[in-house]
Amino acid sequence: MTLPVCAPGEAHAFTLNARDGYPLGAVLYQPATALRGRIVMAGATGVPQRFYRRFAEFAGQHGYAVLTLDYRGIGQSRPADLKQLDMHYADWGRLDLAAAVAA
C-alpha cells in the first residue's frame, strides 16, 4: 500500500484496505516541518480516529507524520448495517492495525 501524498502540514483522508480486503477509513497527517519520524495512532477500543485529531495535528507541527484509522465497525470504517459485520475484536490488531503498520 502506498500512502497518499499531500502538502506539508495537511491531512488527507483515504481508504486503507486490511489484509482481508476490508476497507478502513484512515487519515494521514503530513508534518509541517522536516520529517522527524512516523506515528501510527492505534486508538482505544471503540474510539473513533477523530478523537486523536488534535494529537495528530500537534505531532505534525513538530515533524511527525501521523496515520490514524478507524477499526472495522467504528467511525468511517462502519458498514451501513452493523448486523452484517462479521468480525472478532482480534481482527482490529491482526488485520486492521497490521495494515496501518505495513503502510
Side-chain angles (χ1 to χ4, degrees), residues 6-78:
C6 54
E10 296 293 319
H12 181 77
F14 69 104
T15 300
L16 175 67
N17 289 311
R19 187 175 60 221
D20 64 349
Y22 191 92
L24 304 167
V27 178
L28 177 63
Y29 296 82
Q30 288 288 5
T33 61
L35 181 66
R36 295 178 65 188
R38 294 176 178 88
I39 298 170
V40 174
M41 189 66 238
T45 303
V47 177
Q49 66 176 316
R50 69 179 179 269
F51 180 82
Y52 301 101
R53 181 182 55 83
R54 286 189 190 182
F55 168 79
E57 290 171 345
F58 176 83
Q61 292 169 358
H62 291 85
Y64 293 89
V66 182
L67 177 61
T68 64
L69 75 146
D70 283 322
Y71 297 116
R72 62 188 69 209
I74 305 296
Q76 298 299 313
S77 300
R78 179 185 171 134

